[in-house]
Every structure is written in structure tokens, then in C-alpha cells.
Amino acid sequence: KPTVSRESQEYYSEIQHYTEIRGRMPKAKARPNDWFYIQRAYPSNDVPVSERLKATDKALAMRRDAANKAVNSAPTWTFAGPTNVPGRIADLAIDPNDVNTVYAASAAGGVFKSTDGGNTWTPIFDEIGPQPVGAIAINPQNPDVIYAGTGEAHAATDNYEGTGVYKSIDAGATWTQMGLPNSYSIGRIVIDPLRPDTLYVAVAGRMFGFSSERGLYRSQDGGSTWEQLLYIDDSTACIDVALHASTGTVFAAMWHRWRNPIQLQSGGWST
């Protein structure tokens, strides 16, 4: 039976009190991005992943429809700035056989690939899965095999949850969902260089709320099946993992992390 943290018990008691006695969520003293999330989650505590994926599918369909209609009437645009718009890259992976081939995991834009050492980039994940990607790893014995962990693992509100691990066997041309659909956010993927079908995944879990899927996971068959090796409680994430290849020693970094629209805890006894 999964361990339930004290924070989760207290939080759900508070929500029940407000919704049953006052008929509304507690008033949030929040930053703009917190309030943005609260508006879309109300009356629940979070936005269901399924609803966000539906919205993504609709947006892609609208983009394709607009492109088809604009083939003969496309306007001419000239870039006018600004040039200081920031982006956030969660992870990088370099082809061990070709240093000019680089993969970048974007916090909100999927996976990008460069074959010229980073001078130009091509998005290779737009039509596949959720766009927040927190980790990426390349099979050291077969660089055509790539794993992407969806959902960026941090405690801010300006990120969105993922739907597990995706695998490509053709250098990013096509992808397959390989499990851990309830991992929500992934901090690191490590592949055993001596046994490349064995990989370790640091699962951070839900950003808003609690989940028993947090912890360290291992697959010994290239992602087909998974086992949870380390679990502390429903509010402690596994944020990073490292492997000593010759000895097989595994190190896992844990992070007591949970939040909701009105509360945040980052760090604690189990970190």
C-alpha cells in the first residue's frame, strides 16, 4: 500500500473543508501564472492530462487546416524582434559516434535535433506526444535508439506534465510510447553502457498534488516493462540518477517536492 504523506492528508482535508462548507476553492494569494492555472483547474486541483492532450490535438489540426488554406495566399513576414525571448532546455544528448548530431529536450517545445553541431535545429517531436520534455538519452551502442522522458521536473507553475517515456529506433524519425504514463515528470534517463537495454528513470511525479508513482524505475528490456526500485512517499520525487557502469552501483537523488495553487514545499526531511 502506497505511503501517504502528512502534507497530502492535510491538503485534501483543507480542500474538502472549503468545497463542502464554503462551496468554493480557497482564495489564492498567487502570482499571475498561479492564477492562470487556478482558473483552468477550477473546481478541481489540477488540469487533467487528457484534456491538455485534446487541446494539443485540436491546435495541431487547426494549424494543418490553416496551412492548407494559406498555400496560395500566404502573407510575407519579416522578423522584427524581440531578440531577447528566453527558452529553457532541460537536457542535451550527443551522438557518441557523431559529435555534430545533438538532441535537445525542451521544457515546452518537444525535442529538437541538430546535425551540424547546433547551427540549425529541427523539431522532431511535435506530432508525437506532450511538448514538455525533461530528459533525453541515447543508446551508446546504437545511437539510432533514443529515449525521451516527458514532463519537466521542477516546482514552478509554468510547466506541464508528461505521459511517460517515448522511444525512437530511427534517430528520432518516429516514436513509440514505452510506458510510465503516470510518471507526469521525469528528471533523468540513464542507460547502462554495458547493458544498453537496461535503463534507469528518475520519476518526479505530479507537480500539483500527490502521486505514488514517484521514485526510481528500471527497465531491463529497452522500456517494454518497468519496476519501481525506490519509493519514499507520495510527495518525494526522484530528481536525478547516476550509474557507476563497472560496479553497477546506482545513486538516486530524492527531492521532497509538492505544490498546489496556494501552497509550495520544496525540500524537506526526505530530500
Side-chain angles (χ1 to χ4, degrees):
K1 183 178 179 180
T3 303
V4 177
S5 65
R6 175 177 55 82
E7 290 85 357
S8 63
Q9 299 178 34
E10 293 176 350
Y11 169 67
Y12 287 119
S13 296
E14 178 184 358
I15 293 300
Q16 183 179 16
H17 169 75
Y18 273 89
T19 55
E20 292 182 357
I21 305 303
R22 302 188 181 185
R24 59 182 175 84
M25 288 287 287
K27 183 178 180 180
K29 296 179 180 179
R31 297 174 297 174
N33 54 355
D34 293 333
W35 180 237
F36 176 92
Y37 194 95
I38 295 170
Q39 287 179 306
R40 285 151 181 78
Y42 183 84
S44 300
N45 183 47
D46 57 6
V47 178
V49 173
S50 60
E51 294 301 317
R52 292 191 291 99
L53 294 179
K54 289 179 183 177
T56 299
D57 291 340
K58 184 175 181 180
L60 291 172
M62 292 173 64
R63 180 192 297 175
R64 290 190 292 267
D65 184 56
N68 292 334
K69 291 180 179 179
V71 169
N72 297 320
S73 60
T76 300
W77 293 87
T78 301
F79 179 70
T83 60
N84 63 340
V85 177
R88 188 166 69 237
I89 300 300
D91 201 5
L92 290 172
I94 301 174
D95 188 324
N97 296 337
D98 179 10
V99 296
N100 288 315
T101 297
V102 185
Y103 298 87
S106 170
V111 178
F112 290 82
K113 180 179 181 179
S114 174
T115 57
D116 55 11
N119 291 316
T120 59
W121 296 88
T122 301
I124 60 173
F125 205 71
D126 284 2
E127 306 290 334
I128 309 304
Q131 292 308 291
V133 180
I136 193 162
I138 300 176
N139 183 322
Q141 296 185 18
N142 181 3
D144 285 342
V145 177
I146 308 164
Y147 296 90
T150 58
E152 189 193 17
H154 65 66
T157 55
D158 56 343
N159 72 328
Y160 296 94
E161 296 164 338
T163 55
V165 175
Y166 289 73
K167 180 180 182 180
S168 174
I169 60 173
D170 50 17
T174 60
W175 297 84
T176 302
Q177 209 279 352
M178 296 301 294
L180 301 183
N182 297 319
S183 55
Y184 294 101
S185 54
I186 292 175
R188 187 76 64 198
I189 298 174
V190 170
I191 300 174
D192 189 329
L194 302 180
R195 295 165 288 274
D197 281 336
T198 297
L199 53 151
Y200 298 86
V201 175
V203 171
R206 307 196 72 175
M207 176 179 63
F208 279 77
F210 309 91
S211 58
S212 59
E213 291 82 7
R214 303 180 196 270
L216 178 64
Y217 286 78
R218 179 178 66 182
S219 174
Q220 295 178 288
D221 51 16
S224 296
T225 59
W226 298 88
E227 56 181 324
Q228 189 182 46
L229 297 181
L230 176 62
Y231 171 78
I232 295 179
D233 62 27
D234 60 3
S235 59
T236 301
C238 184
I239 192 64
D240 204 355
V241 59
L243 171 68
H244 192 292
S246 61
T247 66
T249 302
V250 179
F251 297 89
M254 309 303 287
W255 180 21
H256 182 78
R257 179 207 77 160
W258 72 275
R259 70 168 300 155
N260 58 58
I262 60 173
Q263 296 171 290
L264 166 65
Q265 286 197 11
S266 177
W269 71 269
S270 56
T271 297

